[in-house]
């Protein structure tokens, strides 16, 4: 019998074309990491070898803007797309549709180009080839939605696990106002190294000088190109985040411990006030950023990489700034990924860590604080459980602690809340809002006794 003819190799699937190296592909990678895998945008941005990481910096900036806008408008996107879909389509089509409709509506991008790009993106993505027709058909109809209709759609609703406790704390109307503020995003706030030069830098930068001393510019400026950046005359920090160091107001030469310091916005402020600052943080990569900030501004601080729960200094400090790790629910304007990346289960662990950090800072027997020292506690959270309630409980546990009424120029008296300062995104609504923070000033009084 003649030998069988050699087998022809079976044709495999045609090689997929490489994904287009453009901002939309980068934005899609960020969105799928956040919406699909629960990563923060910061984590997704620092992941190596992705369609985002492979982009040149200007395209990365554009991809990030697209991803941020999409996350701020997911509900609006779904409402606009749903009349043209029988069921939510499988990934990646669903995310591509949301990205594309937001690009049209938020950035006024011409529909034709956006639809073609979305179809190309679908074709080149794994599992996407069969969905290109659907993406094309849906977008052709959805992009015809008048912009005026889009503008009247309600803003992105907070997830129930966050909305419920916030509604209990602040009421429905305020939570709705916060959601409006989240939709608008955040302006660019700068903290000055020399607050006495505020008028000069406001003029140089064309910035608004806020009543609390921060400068405010519209979002989107290229920070490194602004006057004063290279010489370290200012650093980026939300106007609310600049208040805790002002409340501590250390005297020049005072020994201050910044207990959860990285990336260092408050360390820089304390050092600029002339304090002898020790900046401590558990995260070495975040402290790298603090080192870079110190280098750029020429300010000085001792830096310690350690766990604040067991670190012991040689001598106690005159004052401590405790900017405790928290849900970061006060920063959703700038980090719309927060509600997707955080889980309700994280909150319990954070609350327990905040209480343990407070106990370490407030009890001089722990070796961190002098017996007549001062602590400023703050969190960038909208949840009273991470702010007001922590302080009420700490006052119970530490009878020698007295809550000092906060007083600062430019602060609206309406922000005083339960002995501290409470800022929310809907504050200064006409000016562009504020991050949500709670901050309190606590004095250790060695002679105080319970009930005194
Ligand atoms: C809200 S951020 C601090 C922001 C910083 N104060 C600023 O103004 O730039 C909280 C910080 O706490 C740090 N952290 C969390 N647990 C810690 C611990 N056990 N000891 C020290 N630092 C900790 C985190 O690494 C994070 O950098």
């Amino acid at each position: 019998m003649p030998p069988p003819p050699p087998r022809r190799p079976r044709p495999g699937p045609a090689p997929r074309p490489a994904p287009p190296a453009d901002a939309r592909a980068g934005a899609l990678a960020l969105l799928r990491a956040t919406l699909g895998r629960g990563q923060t945008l910061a984590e997704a941005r620092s992941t190596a070898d992705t369609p985002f990481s492979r982009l040149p910096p200007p395209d990365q900036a554009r991809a990030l803007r697209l991803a941020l806008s999409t996350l701020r408008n997911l509900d609006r996107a779904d409402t606009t797309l749903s009349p043209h879909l029988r069921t939510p389509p499988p990934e990646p089509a669903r995310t591509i549709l949301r990205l594309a409709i937001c690009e049209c509506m938020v950035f006024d991008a011409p529909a034709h180009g956006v639809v073609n790009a979305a179809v190309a993106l679908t074709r080149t993505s794994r599992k996407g080839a069969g969905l290109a027709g659907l993406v094309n058909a849906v977008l052709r109809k959805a992009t015809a939605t008048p912009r005026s209709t889009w503008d009247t759609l309600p803003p992105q609703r907070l997830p129930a696990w966050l909305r419920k406790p916030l509604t209990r704390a602040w009421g429905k109307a305020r939570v709705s106002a916060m959601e409006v503020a989240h939709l608008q995003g955040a302006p660019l706030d700068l903290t000055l190294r020399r607050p006495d030069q505020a008028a000069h830098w406001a003029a140089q930068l064309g910035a608004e000088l806020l009543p609390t001393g921060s400068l405010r510019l519209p979002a989107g400026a290229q920070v490194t190109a602004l006057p004063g950046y290279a010489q370290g005359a200012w650093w980026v920090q939300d106007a609310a985040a600049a208040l805790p160091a002002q409340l501590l107001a250390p005297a020049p030469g005072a020994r201050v411990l910044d207990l959860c310091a990285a990336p260092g916005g408050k360390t820089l402020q304390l050092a600029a006030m002339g304090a002898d600052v020790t900046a401590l943080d558990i995260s070495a990569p975040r402290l790298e950023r603090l080192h870079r900030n110190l280098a750029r501004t020429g300010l000085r601080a001792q830096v310690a990489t350690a766990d604040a729960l067991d670190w012991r200094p040689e001598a106690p400090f005159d004052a401590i700034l405790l900017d405790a790790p928290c849900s970061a629910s006060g920063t959703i304007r700038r980090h719309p990924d927060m509600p997707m990346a955080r889980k309700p289960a994280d909150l319990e662990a954070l609350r327990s860590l905040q209480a343990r950090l407070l106990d370490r800072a407030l009890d001089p027997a722990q070796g961190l604080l002098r017996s007549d020292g001062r602590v400023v506690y703050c969190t960038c959270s909208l949840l009273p459980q991470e702010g007001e309630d922590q302080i009420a409980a700490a006052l119970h546990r530490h009878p020698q602690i007295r809550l000092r009424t906060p007083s600062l120029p430019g602060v609206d008296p309406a922000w005083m809340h339960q002995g501290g300062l409470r800022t929310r995104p809907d504050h200064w609504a006409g000016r562009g809002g504020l991050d949500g923070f709670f901050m309190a000033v606590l004095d250790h009084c060695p002679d105080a006794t319970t009930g005194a």
Side-chain angles (χ1 to χ4, degrees):
M1 225 164 64
R7 276 230 185 126
R8 300 245 310 270
R10 272 221 231 134
R16 271 188 304 122
D22 69 6
R24 291 174 181 119
L28 179 64
L30 294 180
L31 288 169
R32 295 195 71 191
T34 302
L35 297 171
R37 299 194 287 281
Q39 286 187 336
T40 62
L41 275 181
E43 288 162 349
R45 285 167 67 187
S46 57
T47 306
D49 201 24
T50 67
F52 177 82
S53 70
R54 290 193 286 269
L55 292 173
D59 284 346
Q60 284 194 348
R62 186 154 175 264
L64 183 60
R65 277 199 301 276
L66 281 171
L68 284 167
S69 296
T70 306
L71 291 173
R72 287 193 185 107
N73 287 282
L74 288 175
D75 289 351
R76 288 176 153 197
D78 290 346
T79 306
T80 307
L81 293 164
S82 64
H84 312 292
L85 285 161
R86 261 187 247 132
T87 52
E91 290 298 340
R94 185 171 187 213
T95 305
I96 291 172
L97 286 170
R98 288 164 140 187
L99 174 64
I101 197 72
C102 288
E103 186 178 353
C104 274
M105 297 294 162
V106 180
F107 296 96
D108 261 336
H112 180 72
V114 172
V115 177
N116 287 346
V119 170
L121 199 53
T122 313
R123 277 209 184 103
T124 54
S125 61
R126 202 147 39 110
K127 297 195 225 156
L131 299 166
L134 172 89
V135 165
N136 185 35
V138 170
L139 282 179
R140 293 217 175 271
K141 288 182 237 159
T143 53
T145 308
R147 177 65 199 265
S148 53
T149 306
W150 172 273
D151 287 340
T152 56
L153 294 173
Q156 180 80 14
R157 206 175 153 86
L158 287 164
W161 65 266
L162 195 49
R163 201 170 206 274
K164 268 192 195 158
L166 291 182
T167 305
R168 258 197 312 275
W170 311 116
K172 263 191 184 168
R174 285 187 186 139
V175 173
S176 298
M178 290 181 205
E179 286 169 340
V180 170
H182 293 160
L183 180 66
Q184 279 154 8
L188 178 70
D189 288 351
L190 309 178
T191 300
L192 289 170
R193 181 192 167 132
R194 295 268 314 264
D196 59 317
Q197 295 181 344
H200 164 78
W201 285 109
Q204 285 280 309
L205 291 153
E208 178 189 359
L209 174 55
L210 296 172
T212 51
S214 291
L215 297 187
R216 179 160 282 187
L217 285 163
Q222 197 197 331
V223 172
T224 52
L226 292 174
Y229 174 82
Q231 69 213 78
W234 47 259
W235 50 95
V236 174
Q237 180 169 249
D238 187 83
L243 300 177
Q246 291 186 44
L247 281 178
L248 192 65
R255 291 185 65 247
V256 178
L257 174 61
D258 190 355
L259 197 50
C260 291
K266 299 171 190 73
T267 301
L268 298 178
Q269 265 181 293
L270 297 167
M273 290 172 188
D276 173 4
V277 187
T278 297
L280 179 143
D281 202 282
I282 202 166
S283 161
R286 285 173 67 90
L287 281 173
E288 275 305 310
R289 289 170 60 198
L290 184 140
H291 278 293
R292 284 200 296 276
N293 284 329
L294 286 171
R296 178 173 67 85
T297 53
L299 291 164
R300 293 159 70 107
Q302 284 80 254
V303 179
T305 314
D307 187 340
L309 293 174
D310 56 28
W311 181 77
R312 279 226 166 223
E314 278 171 16
F317 290 87
D318 301 322
I320 297 176
L321 178 60
L322 171 52
D323 184 11
C326 70
S327 63
S329 48
T331 67
I332 295 174
R333 297 182 311 150
R334 278 178 291 117
H335 301 294
D337 48 318
M338 178 267 152
M340 294 103 193
R342 275 256 184 258
K343 292 176 289 304
D346 300 338
L347 294 183
E348 204 36 62
L350 285 166
R351 280 207 295 266
S352 151
L353 178 58
Q354 290 151 11
R356 286 155 70 210
L357 289 167
L358 260 171
D359 286 347
R360 272 229 85 200
L362 292 175
D363 178 5
Q366 295 286 322
L368 299 184
L369 186 69
R370 261 174 47 170
S371 63
D372 58 349
R374 171 168 294 178
V375 173
V376 166
Y377 171 82
C378 63
T379 47
C380 56
S381 168
L382 291 167
L383 294 162
Q385 293 91 326
E386 300 186 283
E388 290 86 341
D389 297 358
Q390 284 288 8
I391 295 306
L395 289 172
H396 231 74
R397 294 196 300 275
H398 300 272
Q400 289 186 313
I401 294 295
R402 292 287 173 268
L403 191 54
R404 195 187 172 85
T405 306
S407 152
L408 280 181
V411 159
D412 186 332
W415 302 349
M416 303 286 176
H417 194 244
Q418 296 187 13
L421 266 189
R422 158 61 66 192
T423 59
R424 298 195 315 255
D426 53 311
H427 286 158
W428 277 354
R431 280 201 163 103
L434 276 178
D435 272 2
F437 257 90
F438 180 75
M439 53 202 90
V441 187
L442 302 150
D443 286 335
H444 193 271
C445 307
D447 301 330
T449 52
T450 316

